[in-house]
Amino acid sequence: MLAICSVWLPSLRLPGCWTLAPWLPLLTLAVAMGLQDGRLDAGAATGIVLLGVTALGTTHASNAWQRRSLLALSLLLALLLALHRWPGFHNVLVLPSAAMTADARPFMLFANLDKGSAGLLLLALLAPRCHAWREWREMLCKTLLPGAVTIALVMGAACVAGLVRPALKWPDFTVEFLSINLLLTVVAEEAFFRGVIQHRLQSALQHIRGGTGLAMTASALLFGAAHLGGGLSYAVMAGMAGLGYAWVFRRTGRLEAPILLHFMLNAVHFLGFTYPALA
């Protein structure tokens, strides 16, 4: 989680012409501690290294076909890590199965090193980010209004659909939940769906009429489909939210915008409504 936060820090200057991004030694330390603690084995560490190498090659390979092939492989590896399909990870169970309110579905909270590592590498190596305070200010100004509209529409539709109802709360594990949700869930999902898929589709379709809209729609549909495990209605709400995330990413061109909106919607859902849904 510290490595993800450090992505926005400037690179460290080393002797000669070398520089070192702060997230790299922090990720290395996290992997080493995970190996020592038995939370991951050599196969898991190999998966993280492979994703880093293929993602780096996506932007540094000399030929276009090599870059496209490495991008496809990076997406596959990131998907396997995010879906917990790459072997060797033993993620930390933070909260055993519990219901937030009497009428809610029970859920479990994990601190997922596999998904977090995938998000970190996509964020650091492939996603467009803010690099100056001016860009942060512009991003915030362009995100606030569409973000508020997205949150109101999604949560209103979820209430009408009978998925949730208002339920104000502040559980004992709120800080842990919000921290894990932001850094190990939201960053990974936005880096994948907006930072890579939508961003690359927008570039590929920019000369086609309606290409930007197609890229936004595709990322939203894929995001909704990724939430089908919660049921069709839940996936539809996720798709609606995905359109909002795609909208602010298109307006700003920076991944921080959908990360911020996604996290704020999740926080409103968690603190103000049934979570994750009515039983």
Side-chain angles (χ1 to χ4, degrees):
M1 292 167 74
L2 287 174
I4 292 169
C5 293
S6 73
V7 166
W8 286 273
L9 296 177
S11 295
L12 305 172
R13 294 184 178 276
L14 301 177
C17 299
W18 297 92
T19 60
L20 178 65
W23 62 265
L24 183 56
L26 286 172
L27 175 61
T28 303
L29 178 61
V31 171
M33 293 174 67
L35 289 168
Q36 175 66 29
D37 197 42
R39 291 295 176 179
L40 69 162
D41 59 27
T46 300
I48 294 173
V49 172
L50 283 175
L51 177 56
V53 170
T54 56
L56 191 63
T58 296
T59 55
H60 287 75
S62 56
N63 297 320
W65 70 268
Q66 292 175 331
R67 293 192 294 271
R68 287 194 292 268
S69 299
L70 289 170
L71 176 61
L73 184 55
S74 297
L75 288 173
L76 176 60
L77 288 169
L79 192 61
L80 291 172
L81 287 168
L83 294 177
H84 319 303
R85 294 294 185 267
W86 189 274
F89 291 90
H90 310 285
N91 292 309
V92 178
L93 176 61
V94 178
L95 179 70
S97 181
M100 295 279 292
T101 54
D103 57 355
R105 298 178 190 171
F107 80 104
M108 303 171 71
L109 177 63
F110 284 89
N112 294 312
L113 180 60
D114 44 8
K115 187 171 184 175
S117 298
L120 166 61
L121 292 169
L122 295 181
L123 172 70
L125 299 176
L126 296 179
R129 306 188 310 277
C130 293
H131 297 284
W133 285 113
R134 175 184 56 82
E135 293 179 344
W136 279 97
R137 289 194 299 269
E138 292 176 356
M139 179 275 297
L140 287 172
C141 289
K142 292 180 179 180
T143 302
L144 290 178
L145 180 58
V149 171
T150 297
I151 293 172
L153 287 177
V154 172
M155 297 314 304
C159 287
V160 171
L163 283 174
V164 300
R165 64 179 57 152
L168 291 174
K169 54 193 172 301
W170 186 275
D172 293 339
F173 57 89
T174 295
V175 173
E176 291 88 340
F177 175 90
L178 293 178
S179 300
I180 290 171
N181 186 260
L182 171 61
L183 296 174
L184 301 183
T185 300
V186 171
V187 166
E189 292 178 358
E190 291 308 312
F192 185 87
F193 290 103
R194 256 59 64 177
V196 179
I197 291 180
Q198 182 180 340
H199 181 55
R200 298 298 173 127
L201 284 176
Q202 283 179 178
S203 298
L205 302 175
Q206 61 182 332
H207 301 300
I208 299 176
R209 184 177 180 180
T212 298
L214 287 174
M216 292 172 56
T217 302
S219 74
L221 288 175
L222 289 171
F223 184 73
H227 290 78
L228 279 170
L232 181 59
S233 297
Y234 195 81
V236 170
M237 295 302 110
M240 287 180 58
L243 277 176
Y245 308 153
W247 180 18
V248 297
F249 181 67
R250 174 66 184 90
R251 280 173 59 87
T252 64
R254 295 293 181 268
L255 191 66
E256 291 84 356
I259 287 175
L260 176 63
L261 175 52
H262 191 162
F263 173 65
M264 290 305 299
L265 193 153
N266 285 1
V268 168
H269 179 189
F270 178 77
L271 296 174
F273 295 85
T274 315
Y275 190 88
L278 290 167

Short mmCIF file of all heavy atoms in Angstrom, two decimals, residues 191-235:
data_model
loop_
_atom_site.label_atom_id
_atom_site.label_comp_id
_atom_site.label_asym_id
_atom_site.label_seq_id
_atom_site.Cartn_x
_atom_site.Cartn_y
_atom_site.Cartn_z
N ALA A 191 -6.99 1.24 -12.85
CA ALA A 191 -5.80 1.10 -13.70
C ALA A 191 -6.07 0.13 -14.84
O ALA A 191 -5.62 0.34 -15.98
CB ALA A 191 -4.62 0.62 -12.86
N PHE A 192 -6.84 -0.93 -14.58
CA PHE A 192 -7.13 -1.93 -15.60
C PHE A 192 -8.17 -1.42 -16.60
O PHE A 192 -7.93 -1.38 -17.81
CB PHE A 192 -7.62 -3.22 -14.94
CG PHE A 192 -7.84 -4.36 -15.90
CD1 PHE A 192 -6.81 -5.20 -16.24
CD2 PHE A 192 -9.10 -4.59 -16.46
CE1 PHE A 192 -7.00 -6.26 -17.13
CE2 PHE A 192 -9.30 -5.63 -17.34
CZ PHE A 192 -8.26 -6.47 -17.69
N PHE A 193 -9.34 -1.01 -16.10
CA PHE A 193 -10.46 -0.68 -16.99
C PHE A 193 -10.32 0.69 -17.65
O PHE A 193 -10.71 0.85 -18.80
CB PHE A 193 -11.78 -0.76 -16.23
CG PHE A 193 -12.18 -2.16 -15.86
CD1 PHE A 193 -12.02 -2.62 -14.57
CD2 PHE A 193 -12.69 -3.02 -16.81
CE1 PHE A 193 -12.38 -3.92 -14.23
CE2 PHE A 193 -13.04 -4.31 -16.49
CZ PHE A 193 -12.89 -4.77 -15.20
N ARG A 194 -9.83 1.68 -16.94
CA ARG A 194 -9.69 3.00 -17.52
C ARG A 194 -8.26 3.27 -17.97
O ARG A 194 -8.02 3.71 -19.10
CB ARG A 194 -10.14 4.07 -16.52
CG ARG A 194 -11.49 4.67 -16.80
CD ARG A 194 -12.65 3.68 -16.83
NE ARG A 194 -12.86 3.04 -15.54
CZ ARG A 194 -13.85 2.17 -15.30
NH1 ARG A 194 -14.69 1.83 -16.28
NH2 ARG A 194 -14.00 1.61 -14.12
N GLY A 195 -7.28 3.00 -17.10
CA GLY A 195 -5.91 3.35 -17.42
C GLY A 195 -5.30 2.57 -18.57
O GLY A 195 -4.40 3.07 -19.26
N VAL A 196 -5.79 1.36 -18.80
CA VAL A 196 -5.27 0.55 -19.91
C VAL A 196 -6.33 0.36 -20.99
O VAL A 196 -6.15 0.80 -22.13
CB VAL A 196 -4.76 -0.82 -19.41
CG1 VAL A 196 -4.25 -1.65 -20.59
CG2 VAL A 196 -3.64 -0.63 -18.38
N ILE A 197 -7.45 -0.26 -20.66
CA ILE A 197 -8.43 -0.59 -21.70
C ILE A 197 -9.02 0.65 -22.35
O ILE A 197 -8.95 0.82 -23.58
CB ILE A 197 -9.54 -1.49 -21.10
CG1 ILE A 197 -8.96 -2.86 -20.76
CG2 ILE A 197 -10.70 -1.62 -22.09
CD1 ILE A 197 -9.96 -3.82 -20.17
N GLN A 198 -9.63 1.54 -21.56
CA GLN A 198 -10.24 2.72 -22.17
C GLN A 198 -9.20 3.62 -22.83
O GLN A 198 -9.41 4.13 -23.94
CB GLN A 198 -11.03 3.52 -21.14
CG GLN A 198 -11.74 4.74 -21.74
CD GLN A 198 -12.54 5.52 -20.70
OE1 GLN A 198 -12.88 5.01 -19.64
NE2 GLN A 198 -12.82 6.77 -20.99
N HIS A 199 -8.08 3.81 -22.16
CA HIS A 199 -7.03 4.68 -22.70
C HIS A 199 -6.53 4.16 -24.05
O HIS A 199 -6.38 4.94 -25.00
CB HIS A 199 -5.89 4.75 -21.69
CG HIS A 199 -4.76 5.64 -22.11
ND1 HIS A 199 -4.93 6.95 -22.47
CD2 HIS A 199 -3.42 5.38 -22.24
CE1 HIS A 199 -3.75 7.48 -22.80
NE2 HIS A 199 -2.83 6.54 -22.67
N ARG A 200 -6.28 2.87 -24.14
CA ARG A 200 -5.77 2.30 -25.39
C ARG A 200 -6.85 2.29 -26.47
O ARG A 200 -6.55 2.53 -27.65
CB ARG A 200 -5.25 0.88 -25.15
CG ARG A 200 -4.08 0.80 -24.17
CD ARG A 200 -2.88 1.56 -24.66
NE ARG A 200 -1.82 1.64 -23.67
CZ ARG A 200 -0.56 1.27 -23.91
NH1 ARG A 200 -0.22 0.80 -25.08
NH2 ARG A 200 0.35 1.40 -22.96
N LEU A 201 -8.10 2.01 -26.09
CA LEU A 201 -9.18 2.04 -27.07
C LEU A 201 -9.40 3.45 -27.61
O LEU A 201 -9.66 3.64 -28.81
CB LEU A 201 -10.47 1.49 -26.46
CG LEU A 201 -10.55 -0.03 -26.30
CD1 LEU A 201 -11.85 -0.40 -25.59
CD2 LEU A 201 -10.47 -0.73 -27.65
N GLN A 202 -9.33 4.44 -26.73
CA GLN A 202 -9.49 5.83 -27.19
C GLN A 202 -8.41 6.18 -28.21
O GLN A 202 -8.70 6.84 -29.22
CB GLN A 202 -9.41 6.79 -26.00
CG GLN A 202 -10.67 6.83 -25.16
CD GLN A 202 -10.57 7.77 -23.97
OE1 GLN A 202 -11.51 7.93 -23.22
NE2 GLN A 202 -9.42 8.38 -23.78
N SER A 203 -7.20 5.76 -27.96
CA SER A 203 -6.10 6.05 -28.90
C SER A 203 -6.32 5.32 -30.21
O SER A 203 -6.10 5.88 -31.30
CB SER A 203 -4.76 5.63 -28.29
OG SER A 203 -4.49 6.36 -27.11
N ALA A 204 -6.79 4.07 -30.14
CA ALA A 204 -6.97 3.28 -31.35
C ALA A 204 -8.17 3.75 -32.18
O ALA A 204 -8.16 3.64 -33.41
CB ALA A 204 -7.15 1.80 -31.00
N LEU A 205 -9.20 4.29 -31.51
CA LEU A 205 -10.44 4.66 -32.19
C LEU A 205 -10.62 6.16 -32.37
O LEU A 205 -11.69 6.61 -32.76
CB LEU A 205 -11.65 4.11 -31.41
CG LEU A 205 -11.69 2.60 -31.18
CD1 LEU A 205 -12.87 2.24 -30.29
CD2 LEU A 205 -11.78 1.86 -32.50
N GLN A 206 -9.58 6.94 -32.11
CA GLN A 206 -9.73 8.39 -32.12
C GLN A 206 -10.07 8.96 -33.49
O GLN A 206 -10.66 10.05 -33.59
CB GLN A 206 -8.44 9.05 -31.60
CG GLN A 206 -7.20 8.74 -32.43
CD GLN A 206 -5.96 9.38 -31.85
OE1 GLN A 206 -6.04 10.41 -31.18
NE2 GLN A 206 -4.80 8.78 -32.07
N HIS A 207 -9.75 8.24 -34.56
CA HIS A 207 -10.05 8.74 -35.90
C HIS A 207 -11.39 8.23 -36.42
O HIS A 207 -11.77 8.54 -37.56
CB HIS A 207 -8.93 8.33 -36.87
CG HIS A 207 -7.58 8.85 -36.47
ND1 HIS A 207 -7.32 10.20 -36.34
CD2 HIS A 207 -6.43 8.20 -36.14
CE1 HIS A 207 -6.06 10.36 -35.98
NE2 HIS A 207 -5.50 9.17 -35.86
N ILE A 208 -12.10 7.46 -35.61
CA ILE A 208 -13.41 6.92 -35.99
C ILE A 208 -14.49 7.76 -35.33
O ILE A 208 -14.39 8.10 -34.15
CB ILE A 208 -13.54 5.45 -35.56
CG1 ILE A 208 -12.46 4.60 -36.24
CG2 ILE A 208 -14.93 4.91 -35.89
CD1 ILE A 208 -12.46 3.15 -35.78
N ARG A 209 -15.53 8.09 -36.09
CA ARG A 209 -16.62 8.87 -35.52
C ARG A 209 -17.28 8.08 -34.38
O ARG A 209 -17.67 6.94 -34.55
CB ARG A 209 -17.66 9.17 -36.60
CG ARG A 209 -18.80 10.06 -36.12
CD ARG A 209 -19.73 10.38 -37.25
NE ARG A 209 -20.82 11.25 -36.79
CZ ARG A 209 -21.81 11.69 -37.58
NH1 ARG A 209 -21.83 11.35 -38.87
NH2 ARG A 209 -22.74 12.47 -37.08
N GLY A 210 -17.36 8.72 -33.23
CA GLY A 210 -17.93 8.04 -32.06
C GLY A 210 -16.98 7.10 -31.39
O GLY A 210 -17.39 6.35 -30.48
N GLY A 211 -15.70 7.13 -31.78
CA GLY A 211 -14.73 6.20 -31.20
C GLY A 211 -14.53 6.39 -29.71
O GLY A 211 -14.40 5.41 -28.97
N THR A 212 -14.55 7.65 -29.27
CA THR A 212 -14.39 7.91 -27.84
C THR A 212 -15.55 7.32 -27.04
O THR A 212 -15.36 6.72 -25.98
CB THR A 212 -14.29 9.42 -27.58
OG1 THR A 212 -13.13 9.93 -28.24
CG2 THR A 212 -14.20 9.71 -26.10
N GLY A 213 -16.76 7.50 -27.57
CA GLY A 213 -17.93 6.94 -26.90
C GLY A 213 -17.88 5.42 -26.85
O GLY A 213 -18.28 4.82 -25.84
N LEU A 214 -17.39 4.81 -27.92
CA LEU A 214 -17.26 3.35 -27.94
C LEU A 214 -16.27 2.88 -26.88
O LEU A 214 -16.50 1.88 -26.20
CB LEU A 214 -16.81 2.88 -29.33
CG LEU A 214 -17.84 2.94 -30.45
CD1 LEU A 214 -17.19 2.59 -31.79
CD2 LEU A 214 -18.99 1.97 -30.16
N ALA A 215 -15.16 3.61 -26.74
CA ALA A 215 -14.17 3.24 -25.74
C ALA A 215 -14.74 3.36 -24.33
O ALA A 215 -14.53 2.48 -23.49
CB ALA A 215 -12.93 4.13 -25.89
N MET A 216 -15.48 4.43 -24.09
CA MET A 216 -16.10 4.62 -22.77
C MET A 216 -17.11 3.50 -22.49
O MET A 216 -17.13 2.93 -21.40
CB MET A 216 -16.79 5.98 -22.71
CG MET A 216 -15.86 7.16 -22.73
SD MET A 216 -16.74 8.74 -22.89
CE MET A 216 -17.87 8.66 -21.49
N THR A 217 -17.94 3.21 -23.48
CA THR A 217 -18.96 2.18 -23.30
C THR A 217 -18.35 0.81 -23.08
O THR A 217 -18.81 0.04 -22.22
CB THR A 217 -19.89 2.15 -24.53
OG1 THR A 217 -20.48 3.44 -24.72
CG2 THR A 217 -20.99 1.12 -24.35
N ALA A 218 -17.30 0.51 -23.84
CA ALA A 218 -16.65 -0.79 -23.71
C ALA A 218 -16.08 -0.97 -22.30
O ALA A 218 -16.24 -2.02 -21.68
CB ALA A 218 -15.55 -0.94 -24.75
N SER A 219 -15.40 0.07 -21.78
CA SER A 219 -14.81 -0.06 -20.45
C SER A 219 -15.89 -0.20 -19.38
O SER A 219 -15.74 -0.95 -18.42
CB SER A 219 -13.92 1.15 -20.13
OG SER A 219 -14.68 2.30 -19.85
N ALA A 220 -17.03 0.50 -19.57
CA ALA A 220 -18.13 0.41 -18.61
C ALA A 220 -18.79 -0.95 -18.65
O ALA A 220 -19.12 -1.53 -17.60
CB ALA A 220 -19.16 1.51 -18.88
N LEU A 221 -19.01 -1.49 -19.86
CA LEU A 221 -19.64 -2.80 -19.98
C LEU A 221 -18.75 -3.89 -19.38
O LEU A 221 -19.24 -4.80 -18.69
CB LEU A 221 -19.93 -3.10 -21.45
CG LEU A 221 -21.08 -2.31 -22.09
CD1 LEU A 221 -21.16 -2.61 -23.58
CD2 LEU A 221 -22.40 -2.62 -21.41
N LEU A 222 -17.47 -3.81 -19.65
CA LEU A 222 -16.55 -4.79 -19.08
C LEU A 222 -16.50 -4.69 -17.56
O LEU A 222 -16.44 -5.69 -16.86
CB LEU A 222 -15.15 -4.61 -19.68
CG LEU A 222 -14.99 -5.00 -21.15
CD1 LEU A 222 -13.62 -4.56 -21.67
CD2 LEU A 222 -15.16 -6.51 -21.32
N PHE A 223 -16.55 -3.46 -17.06
CA PHE A 223 -16.56 -3.26 -15.61
C PHE A 223 -17.83 -3.84 -14.99
O PHE A 223 -17.77 -4.49 -13.95
CB PHE A 223 -16.47 -1.76 -15.31
CG PHE A 223 -16.38 -1.43 -13.85
CD1 PHE A 223 -15.22 -1.68 -13.14
CD2 PHE A 223 -17.46 -0.86 -13.19
CE1 PHE A 223 -15.13 -1.37 -11.79
CE2 PHE A 223 -17.39 -0.55 -11.84
CZ PHE A 223 -16.22 -0.80 -11.14
N GLY A 224 -18.96 -3.63 -15.65
CA GLY A 224 -20.20 -4.21 -15.16
C GLY A 224 -20.15 -5.73 -15.18
O GLY A 224 -20.58 -6.40 -14.23
N ALA A 225 -19.62 -6.28 -16.28
CA ALA A 225 -19.54 -7.74 -16.40
C ALA A 225 -18.66 -8.34 -15.31
O ALA A 225 -18.91 -9.46 -14.83
CB ALA A 225 -18.99 -8.11 -17.78
N ALA A 226 -17.62 -7.60 -14.90
CA ALA A 226 -16.74 -8.09 -13.84
C ALA A 226 -17.45 -8.21 -12.50
O ALA A 226 -16.95 -8.88 -11.59
CB ALA A 226 -15.53 -7.17 -13.71
N HIS A 227 -18.62 -7.59 -12.36
CA HIS A 227 -19.37 -7.63 -11.11
C HIS A 227 -20.60 -8.53 -11.18
O HIS A 227 -21.47 -8.46 -10.31
CB HIS A 227 -19.81 -6.20 -10.71
CG HIS A 227 -18.66 -5.33 -10.28
ND1 HIS A 227 -17.80 -4.74 -11.19
CD2 HIS A 227 -18.24 -4.95 -9.04
CE1 HIS A 227 -16.90 -4.03 -10.53
NE2 HIS A 227 -17.14 -4.14 -9.24
N LEU A 228 -20.65 -9.38 -12.19
CA LEU A 228 -21.80 -10.29 -12.32
C LEU A 228 -21.90 -11.27 -11.17
O LEU A 228 -22.97 -11.83 -10.93
CB LEU A 228 -21.71 -11.05 -13.65
CG LEU A 228 -22.21 -10.29 -14.89
CD1 LEU A 228 -21.85 -11.05 -16.16
CD2 LEU A 228 -23.72 -10.06 -14.81
N GLY A 229 -20.81 -11.48 -10.47
CA GLY A 229 -20.85 -12.38 -9.32
C GLY A 229 -21.82 -11.91 -8.25
O GLY A 229 -22.31 -12.72 -7.46
N GLY A 230 -22.11 -10.62 -8.22
CA GLY A 230 -23.07 -10.09 -7.26
C GLY A 230 -24.50 -10.12 -7.74
O GLY A 230 -25.41 -9.67 -7.02
N GLY A 231 -24.73 -10.66 -8.95
CA GLY A 231 -26.07 -10.70 -9.53
C GLY A 231 -26.21 -9.72 -10.67
O GLY A 231 -25.42 -8.77 -10.81
N LEU A 232 -27.22 -9.93 -11.51
CA LEU A 232 -27.42 -9.08 -12.69
C LEU A 232 -27.68 -7.63 -12.32
O LEU A 232 -27.11 -6.70 -12.92
CB LEU A 232 -28.56 -9.64 -13.54
CG LEU A 232 -28.86 -8.86 -14.84
CD1 LEU A 232 -27.64 -8.83 -15.74
CD2 LEU A 232 -30.06 -9.49 -15.56
N SER A 233 -28.54 -7.39 -11.35
CA SER A 233 -28.86 -6.02 -10.95
C SER A 233 -27.62 -5.30 -10.43
O SER A 233 -27.39 -4.12 -10.73
CB SER A 233 -29.96 -6.01 -9.88
OG SER A 233 -31.16 -6.55 -10.39
N TYR A 234 -26.82 -6.01 -9.65
CA TYR A 234 -25.59 -5.43 -9.12
C TYR A 234 -24.63 -5.07 -10.25
O TYR A 234 -23.99 -4.02 -10.24
CB TYR A 234 -24.95 -6.42 -8.16
CG TYR A 234 -23.88 -5.83 -7.27
CD1 TYR A 234 -24.22 -5.12 -6.12
CD2 TYR A 234 -22.53 -5.99 -7.57
CE1 TYR A 234 -23.25 -4.58 -5.29
CE2 TYR A 234 -21.55 -5.45 -6.75
CZ TYR A 234 -21.92 -4.76 -5.61
OH TYR A 234 -20.96 -4.21 -4.80
N ALA A 235 -24.56 -5.96 -11.27
CA ALA A 235 -23.69 -5.70 -12.41
C ALA A 235 -24.17 -4.50 -13.21
O ALA A 235 -23.37 -3.72 -13.72
CB ALA A 235 -23.62 -6.94 -13.31
#
